[in-house]
Structures are given as structure tokens and as C-alpha cells.
Amino acid sequence: MNRREALQRTALALGYAVTGPALIGMLNGCKAAPELNYTPQFFTPEQALLIAELAEVLVPKTDTPGAKDAGVPAFIDGILKEVYPQADKDRFTKGLTDFDEEAKKTYGEPFATCSTDEKIALVKKHHEDALSKSSGGGSVGWWRAGSDGGKPFILEMKELTLLGFFTSQAGATQVLQYNQVPGPYKGCVPLAEVGKAWAT
Amino acid sequence: MNLNIEAQKQNTYDAIVVGTGISGGWAAKELTEKGLKTLVLERGRDVKHQVDYPTMTKDPWQLPHGNKLTEEELKFYPVQSRTYWVNQANKHWWVNDLENPYTEVKPFDWIRGYHAGGRSLMWGKQTYRLSDLDFESNAKDGVGIDWPIRYKDLAPWYDYVESYIGVSGQAEGIPHLPDGKFLPPMELNCVEEVFRDKLSEKFGRKLTIGRVAHLTAPLPHDPSRGVCQSRNMCDRGCPYGAYFSSNASTLPAAMKTGNMTLRPHSIVHSVIYDEQKRKAIGVRVLDANTKEEIEFFAKVIFLNASALGSTFVLLNSISSSHPQGLGNNSGHLGHYLMDHQYRTGAEADVEGFEDKYYIGRRPNGIYIPRFRNIGNDKRTDYIRGFGYQGGASRESWARGVAEMSFGADLKKSLENPGPWKIGITGFGECLPYYENKVTINADKKDIYGLPTLNIDAEWKENEKAMRKDMKESAAEMLEGAGFKNVRTYDVADNMGLGIHEMGTARMGKDQKTSVLNKWNQVHDAPNVFVTDGACMTSSACQNPSLTYMALTARAADYAVSELKKGNLK
Ligand SMILES: Cc1cc2nc3c(=O)[nH]c(=O)nc-3n(C[C@H](O)[C@H](O)[C@H](O)COP(=O)(O)OP(=O)(O)OC[C@H]3O[C@@H](n4cnc5c(N)ncnc54)[C@H](O)[C@@H]3O)c2cc1C
Ligand code: SF4
């Protein structure tokens, strides 16, 4: 079983699939001192800045809203505070600290204030590394990857970002499409007639 | 003395129904429509259709934390959350496990909802008839005892119930999965159609769209209920009343007669047995709010507190003539606990169909009726059989976590639906075993000071052998149909997780070996009827609730005619 197969296997029950080569998208916008658009309840201001910038690298603003527009940083803050048990909180914050340490060591700056290219490069390194090590997970529940059974910080962050983003109004209605009341089910329709993927 | 008589008169009805779930709602409707002044006792709060569905129209972004429970909230649901289904949108329908304890000798997931409507609000609506393959099975296999009824006894009541609640489905002419009174079937999607054709071609097996208690056309007799809009947010309560629940259907019908008194917060803990009259005369209620103990009286009592709930009430109804509980002269009350095993099967990738999609979130899937141990198919390793439920769909944005891309590329690629996947999971029959049982914990009390249930049950050899086949046959069919990368799974489930618990007060012909007769009357107390899952003599493999409804309507009809004849006083 190669890594790709392993990933596909893991991904199944959750509806994840691995497709396509890695291509890094171009980010819009120029470098500005990052600001928070909410008051964190769980993260320190420094941690919160990192989370916001990282979420935006994972799901950037393009011609449609990005993670920050969609309120993903506040969503992740809420999950950490209310949903995560203590052990997961500790693991996640440690992952976050290690990630930032590496940014400081490599670029001499905390992740949040690194340049866009630097941010992408660091994310790419962690992301590829994590996916190459991941080897199957549970068939129910959340992404569990990593040969040591742990969740690599970057994938956990990616999962939280996607969850927060695609359950947000912006993500569900502007990037994908959403209809609360679709009407009678039509089982076999040309994709061209439907357009984009359904958010749910 | 006078005061007592006055109070007793005030608390006297023609009939009492205990529980307002799928079966209790039907008892309430039938008895009130036949003119009986009926007291309906519900241990939980009242839930009015539409009015009390707080999350029914919430969009994903209006639910906190991506619909996940907080750590604090999760603490209330150590058992209920074993389903992985408890979330922000439906959390108010599951019992608080801390307040409703029971003990498990072996793991048993007792999944419940205590409120008006019971589990009719959260159920999956899959609706199938049993057939004589099922009613004759115990007698033929020499397992358990024979059912005291056959398909012909229930067929008119299946018709009656289906016509009233609205069941969407496709007539297939399968003898062991009889067709019903169907509203138009929901559509299969393109991939499911292919699977259906391949199954027929390669295996000679049927695949049909799930039969579900959803309206796919208006119901002339019940204009208050609307047609299903494919929202698939059913477990929050449906604003259209498009799926069957007690709240949308039977309870309003009962209310309309003017004959129903619905009393919420009323925990029935025992049936009152009058030693002089040598009969059951009423029930004892603990008011959940005031903790006051109240007695209510009636000529006819229907127990519909769910299989284990009704069995609890009977076991806890101790009198000098019934020291082991009412209906337990046989010693069989509480035994033969059954459920359906599932969460094993297979899934596969589907190549092609990239240019096809669907519109709507169909609250339904595909159904592959039982094909094992029928006709020429004879297994040597187990008896009985299983059906499959499942479906095909395109992967959602969630696939993005494992994608090699991130950033703008990922965002762009997730705008398209993902590849098609298909999966099926078995629902397998469970045999009745004397050792699988519930008893009363006299010393472990709940927050009301009432005794609790002790559950001691497990899957045995027949179920385990069947389970293996449920998994292997699923893979074989998906592979045979040409799907790719077929993977099996077996998420070993505890008993109870099928949420089809049944059988602890079984029907039978002989009062020495059964609790109920062929009309669902307690042998030892004929004015007490038990018409929920407790009455099941075998489990079959079909989702059972339709059968509970049909048995309830049939028993109510019988009860009223017996009352009129003066046979039940
Ligand atoms: C998520 C889920 C999916 C399901 N899917 C399906 C499906 O697709 N098809 C199918 O056929 N079945 C399905 N079921 C099972 C189905 O819900 C049950 O078979 C059905 O609800 C049983 O009906 P009932 O009347 O016996 O009990 P319930 O519906 O559980 O109702 C029992 C009622 O009695 C009340 N009660 C209990 N004890 C007392 C007491 N002591 N005093 C007063 N009141 C009391 C309860 O509060 C409750 O209101 C599903 C269940 C769940 C939870
Ligand atoms: S899918 Fe149909 S029944 Fe379910 S909530 Fe939507 S409209 Fe109601």
C-alpha cells in the first residue's frame, strides 16, 4: 500500500479523497501588519494572529471570500475553547508553538509577520511532510493521521479551517452553493445544470 | 372517603396510553378516534409540532461550533453519543444519560428520547413489512417460540397504517418483502441505477430505493402535512411535517377528537393490580416536576413506553399475585432481548459519471432486500439473513483535508463535487436468546428514586457468522458490479446500537412461554396491551417500527371491540 492508497483508505468513511498534484496558489494582496477582527477567548493575541494568518494561507481570499472574511479564526478559537478536551488543547497549542518556533528560526520572524512567500513555503513543507507520513485513520470521527497516531498540527489546522470555512455563510453560499429547501430530489442531473458543489 | 372517591373519579378514563412515541401515538389516535376518553401519559416534556423544533430551519452557520457538541454538553451523553449522531441541531432530543442511568453487564447502547413523540422525531423512517418468511421462521428453525400471528393477520393493518402515515416506495413484487400502499418512489441517482442493473444481471438480486415514511405526494386525508423538500434535516423536526412523526401526525389526530388528555412529565412506574378484582385497574405516575405520586384509572391500558420502557413498567408492577412483575407468571418477561446488527459492509470508488450530479439532500438511500437462506440459497454457517442499506454520492469539500493542495488551488478544486463513492451496510437479524435479558436493579435508583434496568445481552455465534457474511457479500457485490478499490469495514457495534431493541415481552400462543397473546394482551392481565417492540417474537431484519404501528392499530381495534362486547371491564 503506497501513501496515496493509504490516504485514500483513511479518507473514505469521512468522504475525503486525495486527488491532484500539489500546486501552490498565488495569494492576492500585499504584506501588511496583520490585525485580528475578533476578540479571542482561548488563544493569546500572538497565537490568534498565527491562527488567522495560517487559516488564510490554507483558504485565501481570491475572487471569493477567504478564511478571515468567513470568520474562521474565531470559529477555531471557539472549538479550542469549548469543544476540545484538555489533552487536545495542550497538543494543539504545542503544535502551534513548535510551528511558530520554526518560522522564527527559519525566517527570523513569527509566522504571522513573515512574508507571504515565506508563509507559503513553511506551510508547504509541513503539509507535504504530514501527508507523506499519514497512514490511515479512524473510520469515524475526525482526521487522525501520522505514523505515530497523532494528528500533525498542519492537518488538524487544515481540517478546522475547512470545517469552519465551508459551514460559514460565505464559504457555503459564495464558494460552494447551498439551498436549505431544495425541493424533490433529482437523482441524475448534468453537472453543468447544477454548477458548483453543494455545501451540504 | 368521599374525597377519595371524587379524586378517583377525576382520574378515571376509558383508556390509558403510556408513551407518545411511534407506537403510543398510534394507540392514542386509534383509541380516541373510536370514542374512548384517553389519558396519554408521557414521561418527558410536551413537544408541539413546528412550535417546539428550535433548530428546524437553522443553516449550518447558525449552529455553533460546526454543529459539534461542546465538551461540557458531551458530558450529558456518555451513552447517546456512542451513535456519533448527537449534535447541536438535535441534542435536545436525546436523554440526559446522567439522569437516566441503567447498568450494562456487557456493553449495551440504550439510545432514547424522552419527550412527546419519543424517537419518532429522530428515527430514520425506513419502513418495511415483515412477511411469512419472518413469522414462520421460529417454528421452521425450531428457535424460540412460534409467532401467534401470520402475515395475513397483519396485512390489512400494514395497509391501513401506510395509507395514513404516507410511505414512499417502489413496488417490486418480492414475496418476502411485501409491497405496501406506496406514494411515488424517490429517485435513485445515476450510480445507484447502474448498481441496481449490475446486481440483477450478475447476482439475480434486487436493489430498490428505500421505502420511507416521507410524503412524496400530498395526503388527501391530512392536508396539514406537506411534501418532502429533500432538506435532510429531519432529525430536528420537519417544518413541513413531511416525514411521519407522532408530533406531526398521530398526536394531532388524537387531539382533534377532543378525547385525548395528554399529560407530559408523567413517569409511569407501575400498573396497579387490584387483588380483589383480580385485574389491572390503572397506573401509578410520578410527576417529574412535583415528584408527587398520582394514580390514574382506566378499563384499558396500552403500554407503549418503548420495548425496554414497557418491560420496565411490567417488571416493576409487583403485587402479591404477581411477585415477579405483571405478566411474568411465565418467568419469560425481560428475556429474549434482540436488536439488529449493522455497521459492517463495504464501500468503493466509482469511476466516471463526473458530468453527473444531483439536486437535493435525499433523506433516504438504497435497499437490497434479504437474499440469504431463501429458496435455493442455504448457508451452513448461520440461519436467517440481512438486508443492506446504503447509497452513492459525490464526495464533499471534506475530501480537501487529504488533498495534496492547499490555498487558492484547493479552494478552486473544492468548488467541484468530488468523485463518486458507493457504500452499503448490512442490517442483520438477531435470534431470541433466553440469556439476553433485562432485570430490575432494586438498589440502583435514578434521580426520581425509581429502580433502574440492568441489561445483560450480547451477539452470539449466529450473529457473528452472519456478520462476517454481511461484510464479505457487500464487497463481493460492489466488486461484481465493477466498482473500484473496494474496501470492507466492520465497526464492531454493541448490542443496542441498531436502536431496534425489542422482544422482552414476547407474543406467543402459550402463556407458559410468552408474555402476550396474539392480540398483544398480557396473558395474566388481558386489559393491559403491550404493542411496542417488547412484543416481538423474532426480530426479522427489516426496520421494525412499521410493524409496531400495525400491531398497535390492530390491538386497539380489538380492544375497543372487546370493550363493547363487555369482555374487558
Ligand atoms: C436515530 C434513529 C434512527 C432510527 N431509524 C429507524 C428506521 O429507519 N426505521 C425504523 O423502523 N426504526 C428506526 N428507529 C427506531 C424507532 O425509532 C423505534 O423503533 C420506535 O421509535 C419505537 O417506538 P416506540 O413507540 O416503541 O418507542 P419510542 O418512540 O421510543 O417512544 C417511547 C415513548 O415513551 C415514553 N416513555 C418511556 N418510558 C415511560 C414511562 N415510564 N412513562 C411514561 N412515558 C414513558 C418516552 O418518553 C417516549 O416518548 C430509529 C431510531 C433512532 C433513534
Ligand atoms: S428532508 Fe423532507 S422530511 Fe426531512 S426535514 Fe426536509 S422536508 Fe422534512
Side-chain angles (χ1 to χ4, degrees), chain A residues 13-66:
Chain A
L14 287 172
Y16 304 154
V18 187
T19 55
L23 278 173
I24 304 306
M26 291 297 295
L27 282 177
N28 292 338
C30 53
K31 190 182 164 185
E35 266 177 50
L36 279 183
N37 59 3
Y38 76 105
T39 312
Q41 303 297 306
F42 175 80
F43 294 123
T44 65
E46 294 72 32
Q47 291 172 333
L49 278 176
L50 182 148
I51 292 293
E53 294 308 305
L54 181 50
E56 189 70 17
V57 170
L58 292 167
V59 180
K61 183 187 186 83
T62 52
D63 52 349
T64 52

Side-chain angles (χ1 to χ4, degrees), chain B residues 526-558:
Chain B
N527 60 335
V528 179
F529 292 77
V530 183
T531 65
D532 54 30
C535 74
M536 299 290 280
T537 313
S538 72
S539 76
C541 67
Q542 299 89 317
N543 306 59
S545 305
L546 175 69
T547 299
Y548 307 165
M549 293 191 252
L551 285 167
T552 302
R554 176 176 174 268
D557 183 65
Y558 179 77

Side-chain angles (χ1 to χ4, degrees), chain A residues 12 15-17 19 23 58 60 62 64-65 82 142 158 178-180 182-183 185-189 191 197-198, chain B residues 57 59 68 71 187 189-190 229-231 355 357-359 361 395 398-401 403 405 407 409 411 415 487:
Chain A
L12 252 165
Y16 304 154
T19 55
L23 278 173
L58 292 167
T62 52
T64 52
E82 302 288 351
W142 286 26
K158 193 182 184 193
Y178 172 73
N179 187 352
Q180 194 195 92
Y185 178 78
K186 297 200 185 68
C188 204
V189 183
L191 176 59
W198 299 109
Chain B
T57 58
D59 290 316
K68 291 182 193 307
E71 197 192 2
E187 290 183 14
N189 62 42
C190 341
Q229 302 297 319
S230 315
R231 301 165 357 114
D355 58 340
Y357 205 16
Y358 36 77
I359 296 175
R361 295 179 292 278
E395 284 192 319
R399 72 188 187 277
V401 179
E403 299 248 0
S405 60
D409 281 352
K411 199 177 157 199
E415 281 182 10
R487 299 145 309 240

Side-chain angles (χ1 to χ4, degrees), chain B residues 89-110:
Chain B
N90 64 26
K91 63 186 177 191
H92 38 282
W93 301 143
W94 310 97
V95 294
N96 178 328
D97 289 314
L98 308 182
E99 291 179 359
N100 296 283
Y102 64 100
T103 51
E104 313 165 71
V105 177
K106 296 156 195 130
F108 185 97
D109 306 339
W110 190 11

Side-chain angles (χ1 to χ4, degrees), chain B residues 8-297:
Chain B
Q8 181 150 353
K9 228 165 99 191
Q10 264 181 20
N11 284 0
T12 300
Y13 296 79
D14 296 331
I16 289 173
V17 174
V18 181
T20 57
I22 289 187
S23 66
W26 264 94
K29 166 176 140 46
E30 293 303 296
L31 296 172
T32 55
E33 285 183 347
K34 290 173 192 295
L36 268 51
K37 292 281 174 208
T38 305
L39 174 67
V40 178
L41 295 165
E42 167 52 53
R43 68 175 294 155
R45 65 189 186 281
D46 195 9
V47 174
K48 289 263 182 287
H49 180 48
Q50 296 164 330
V51 179
D52 294 322
Y53 303 157
T55 55
M56 67 180 177
T57 58
K58 292 239 187 295
D59 290 316
W61 49 93
Q62 294 172 315
L63 296 164
H65 309 308
N67 206 13
K68 291 182 193 307
L69 287 191
T70 66
E71 197 192 2
E72 214 35 54
E73 289 166 331
L74 202 53
K75 285 186 187 147
F76 301 129
Y77 306 105
V79 175
Q80 307 306 305
S81 63
R82 293 179 195 171
T83 60
Y84 297 103
W85 292 331
V86 185
N87 58 37
Q88 294 288 349
N90 64 26
K91 63 186 177 191
H92 38 282
W93 301 143
W94 310 97
V95 294
N96 178 328
D97 289 314
L98 308 182
E99 291 179 359
N100 296 283
Y102 64 100
T103 51
E104 313 165 71
V105 177
K106 296 156 195 130
F108 185 97
D109 306 339
W110 190 11
I111 310 301
R112 295 167 279 169
Y114 285 169
H115 46 256
R119 288 175 293 183
S120 78
L121 281 170
M122 311 94 100
W123 74 311
K125 293 94 56 187
Q126 293 289 315
T127 296
Y128 302 96
R129 293 186 177 201
L130 270 54
S131 74
D132 276 335
L133 177 71
D134 306 305
F135 290 114
E136 289 171 355
S137 60
N138 279 2
K140 283 197 171 149
D141 296 333
V143 167
I145 53 168
D146 191 13
W147 278 88
I149 56 169
R150 287 294 180 264
Y151 180 65
K152 66 170 168 32
D153 298 306
L154 215 47
W157 297 102
Y158 278 137
D159 287 353
Y160 177 70
V161 166
E162 286 164 348
S163 306
Y164 188 78
I165 66 175
V167 178
S168 150
Q170 174 75 53
E172 299 279 2
I174 304 166
H176 61 277
L177 193 75
D179 294 331
K181 298 275 175 212
F182 292 143
L183 300 173
M186 292 183 186
E187 290 183 14
L188 296 173
N189 62 42
C190 341
V191 171
E192 292 162 349
E193 280 175 357
V194 169
F195 190 32
R196 176 196 58 200
D197 296 346
K198 294 274 183 212
L199 266 189
S200 157
E201 187 186 308
K202 301 238 162 106
F203 296 86
R205 290 176 192 160
K206 289 260 187 195
L207 179 158
T208 190
I209 183 70
R211 296 173 177 175
V212 275
H214 282 253
L215 303 192
T216 48
L219 283 183
H221 60 268
D222 194 351
S224 75
R225 296 183 51 205
V227 170
C228 179
Q229 302 297 319
S230 315
R231 301 165 357 114
N232 203 17
M233 289 149 69
C234 316
D235 64 354
R236 309 172 183 191
C238 178
Y240 305 91
Y243 75 89
F244 169 81
S245 65
S246 304
N247 313 63
S249 174
T250 44
L251 292 176
M255 193 51 92
K256 215 166 85 190
T257 63
N259 289 329
M260 175 170 79
T261 306
L262 175 66
R263 191 178 199 282
H265 307 294
S266 304
I267 307 172
V268 174
H269 61 80
S270 52
V271 174
I272 308 166
Y273 190 81
D274 186 317
E275 298 288 349
Q276 258 97 54
K277 295 184 184 149
R278 306 208 59 76
K279 61 179 289 213
I281 54 166
V283 298
R284 292 184 199 91
V285 162
L286 188 93
D287 186 300
N289 291 332
T290 65
K291 310 282 183 300
E292 190 188 357
E293 166 126 2
I294 314 169
E295 299 189 335
F296 292 101
F297 305 93

